[in-house]
């Protein structure tokens, strides 16, 4: 999954989003990857996905509140499924602290 940081005009369609990915970031959209875009007010998200024979354009609009989307930065970066889940639940994608992973030699 890739998140396109910064503000994106969400009035675009599939062709507009594929041209952003291909021209600005020199990345192919014809791969098994989800590309995530957000608007200036951070209350709408669009996701572009190629499933092998066509594109999906997914759209979510919040009625209240906003996504914790990194709009002050530009560029594109990968995120995990957990980070996407946090984003869609209204949390920041970068959590400051998580449980420490413990390993034990004996049970």
């Amino acid at each position: 999954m890739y998140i396109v940081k910064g503000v994106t005009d969400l009035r675009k369609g599939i062709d507009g989003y594929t041209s952003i990915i291909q021209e600005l970031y020199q990345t192919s959209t014809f791969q098994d990857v989800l590309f995530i875009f957000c608007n200036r007010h951070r209350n709408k998200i669009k996701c572009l996905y190629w499933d092998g024979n066509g594109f999906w354009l997914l759209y979510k609009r919040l009625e209240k509140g906003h996504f914790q989307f990194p709009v002050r930065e530009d560029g594109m970066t990968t995120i995990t499924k957990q980070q996407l889940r946090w984003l869609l639940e209204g949390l920041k994608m970068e959590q400051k602290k998580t449980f420490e992973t413990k390993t034990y030699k004996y049970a």
Side-chain angles (χ1 to χ4, degrees):
M1 284 180 267
Y2 287 106
I3 188 165
V4 179
K5 296 179 179 179
V7 175
T8 304
D9 180 4
L10 294 188
R11 295 176 291 179
K12 298 180 183 306
I14 291 171
D15 295 334
Y17 296 115
T18 56
S19 68
I20 288 173
I21 298 300
Q22 292 172 349
E23 293 173 13
L24 293 180
Y25 303 108
Q26 289 77 42
T27 303
S28 173
T29 54
F30 298 102
Q31 51 184 321
D32 188 21
V33 175
L34 184 73
F35 296 95
I36 306 161
F37 304 87
C38 190
N39 69 336
R40 180 172 40 108
H41 299 293
R42 296 183 298 157
N43 65 341
K44 298 173 187 168
I45 284 183
K46 280 192 177 179
C47 301
L48 180 70
Y49 178 72
W50 171 256
D51 71 359
N53 63 3
F55 283 102
W56 285 85
L57 189 58
L58 308 166
Y59 176 63
K60 181 168 183 170
R61 181 186 74 195
L62 296 177
E63 294 300 319
K64 186 176 179 183
H66 63 275
F67 295 103
Q68 299 292 320
F69 201 90
V71 294
R72 290 188 180 92
E73 305 171 36
D74 284 333
M76 188 169 68
T77 188
T78 60
I79 64 170
T80 64
K81 290 179 185 178
Q82 180 65 49
Q83 287 175 312
L84 176 60
R85 189 175 305 118
W86 287 334
L87 176 68
L88 295 176
E89 291 174 354
L91 301 172
K92 291 184 179 181
M93 290 187 310
E94 299 85 22
Q95 298 295 321
K96 293 183 180 181
K97 187 176 179 182
T98 61
F99 291 119
E100 184 179 334
T101 303
K102 299 282 186 179
T103 56
Y104 300 99
K105 291 183 182 181
Y106 305 102

